[in-house]
Structure formats: C-alpha cells, structure tokens
Amino acid sequence: MVFSDRLLRTLEYEFKDVTAMRLRCVSDLDALDDVSKLATDLIIFDEPSMETYLRTRPALDPVYSGAGKVLAYSSAQAGRVLRQQLAGSSDEHTLRFLPMKSSLDAWFAALRLLLLGEAFVPAELLTRQNPISAGAETGTSPVPGQADETAEKTPPPSALPNLTVREVEVLGLLATGMANKTIAEQLGLSEHTVKLHVHHIFGKLKVHNRVSATNWFLSHGQTLDRLQGR
C-alpha cells in the first residue's frame, strides 16, 4: 500500500491537528458523512486512483471542489506524463504533487506546504519531454511509471548556489518547519547565529521567506548531497 498504517500514524503524530483517513477508492469519498466531507482540506491520490479521479471528477460531490488534489507519485516519469496530459486544461494549475521516494523529513516539509495551499511542484517534474519522441528510437512510447534516467539527472554542481555545509544543515531543518530557536538548540548554535545563517541562505537562494526557501530545498533535494560533500 502506498499509504501504510505506520505512515498514517506518523503523519498524525507530526501534524497534531490533522486526521488522516485512508479510503479504498475514489467512489468512497461520496460515502463519507457530511462532517468529514466539509472538513477535508487535502485529497492525496496514488497513481491508479488519480487516473480514476480525472475520469470521474464531474460526478464527485461538489463539496470537495475546494479541497486540494495531490498526486502521490513514486515515479517521476508518471508525474511528468500527468503534467503533460493536463497542459492547457483547467486542472493544470490546481493539481499538486507529493514525491513518495523523498526522505521522511522532506516528505513532511512538502506535505506541510500542500496543507498551507502552496502549489508545490518538485523540480524533477519540470523537465520538458515529449513522451512520443522519447521512444522514437525504439519504436515504443513511455507509459506512466516508466523510468527515464536521462530526464532524472540532477543539474551540475555549478548550477547550485554557494551554500556552506552549515547553511545546508540550517536549510534542511528550516524546511521541516523548525523555528530558529529549535534549530539553534539542535545544532548547538546561538539563535543569533542561526538568524544570520537564515539571512545568508535567503540571499543566496534569492528568496524572501521560509516558504520559498522550503520550496527550493524540496525541489533540489537530490543535489544537496553534493553540497554536503564539498
């Protein structure tokens, strides 16, 4: 199962004011009681149920129109194909994405942004690729879930901002939602020093707030390992 019992328990422990409910299929949404329907802020679909939702969404209870719709994907190719299919449609700018192969801290950070209504899209899904031309040489066409090693290559280290190892550590903790005081306690620094690191991070990333910095962190998770090893 994409959403295991353990993952749901961990989610509710991390987000004290969130109740996670796992359903078997999209049609079960209509069977929920009115209180649950009205309280729903986010609906996270796995890849098969997302396909079902896109086919049947006109029949879904209108009360869910304001709830965020998210694809929890394991294959970046599946996410890219879905974005290409929705290009130009009314769903293009409303569907969001949650990478299931991220580390738990990064996954929680992404989910926190989604719960806040941020339209987070991981950088690995922003690669422009034609599904037909991708299989031209072999005579086959990629399908959702099929890996594309070329498209998933990370950008060269030269494309990254010149963050120090300590700034990467601070950024990673900041992206989990930690306050400066908590970051300071965890790293054994003064709160003033952490504030300086955060200020430098914002400048190097060319962002103005913690949400934007978290977005950058989640979009470049694969390349941060290179920064840590410098």
Side-chain angles (χ1 to χ4, degrees):
M1 301 178 70
V2 175
F3 309 109
S4 65
D5 291 338
R6 182 179 180 183
L7 180 59
L8 296 186
R9 288 196 300 269
T10 305
L11 188 154
E12 291 187 336
Y13 178 82
E14 180 75 14
F15 300 96
K16 304 299 184 183
D17 58 344
V18 168
T19 297
M21 181 181 297
R22 183 177 57 210
L23 304 179
R24 295 172 302 171
C25 57
V26 176
S27 60
D28 284 352
L29 286 167
D30 286 324
L32 294 179
D33 59 79
D34 291 340
V35 173
S36 296
K37 288 180 179 179
L38 291 171
T40 300
D41 289 325
L42 207 62
I43 305 175
I44 305 176
F45 301 90
D46 59 15
E47 292 170 26
S49 63
M50 174 58 81
E51 295 174 5
T52 302
Y53 161 70
L54 292 174
R55 291 197 307 270
T56 63
R57 62 190 181 284
L60 195 64
D61 192 322
V63 76
Y64 291 118
S65 61
K69 314 302 189 303
V70 180
L71 170 65
Y73 68 89
S74 296
S75 163
Q77 178 66 3
R80 283 193 291 268
V81 168
L82 178 60
R83 291 191 74 243
Q84 290 171 341
Q85 291 174 340
L86 297 178
S89 72
S90 59
D91 293 307
E92 181 180 9
H93 301 296
T94 57
L95 285 180
R96 308 168 196 172
F97 298 86
L98 183 64
M100 297 301 291
K101 289 187 177 180
S102 300
S103 67
L104 191 60
D105 284 344
W107 191 82
F108 279 140
L111 187 56
R112 185 174 285 105
L113 287 176
L114 294 172
L115 286 169
L116 290 172
E118 294 291 326
F120 169 67
V121 179
E124 62 185 2
L125 303 188
L126 300 178
T127 305
R128 294 185 177 275
Q129 181 185 358
N130 188 321
I132 298 178
S133 62
E137 294 184 2
T138 61
T140 61
S141 296
V143 296
Q146 180 177 339
D148 180 356
E149 296 181 358
T150 300
E152 295 200 32
K153 286 183 179 179
T154 56
S158 59
L160 296 169
N162 189 30
L163 295 174
T164 66
V165 173
R166 179 63 83 184
E167 287 168 349
V168 172
E169 291 176 338
V170 172
L171 176 58
L173 295 176
L174 178 153
T176 67
M178 283 189 184
N180 289 345
K181 182 178 180 180
T182 308
I183 294 174
E185 291 172 352
Q186 180 146 336
L187 296 180
L189 303 172
S190 70
E191 188 173 355
H192 176 70
T193 299
V194 171
K195 287 181 179 179
L196 284 177
H197 283 312
V198 172
H199 175 73
H200 292 154
I201 289 168
F202 285 3
K204 291 179 179 181
L205 300 185
K206 294 180 173 59
V207 300
H208 302 288
N209 54 54
R210 299 169 81 91
V211 171
S212 298
T214 298
N215 252 323
W216 187 96
F217 172 79
L218 295 172
S219 297
H220 297 79
Q222 294 179 349
T223 60
L224 285 178
D225 288 340
R226 301 186 184 187
L227 287 172
Q228 291 279 26
R230 287 197 306 206

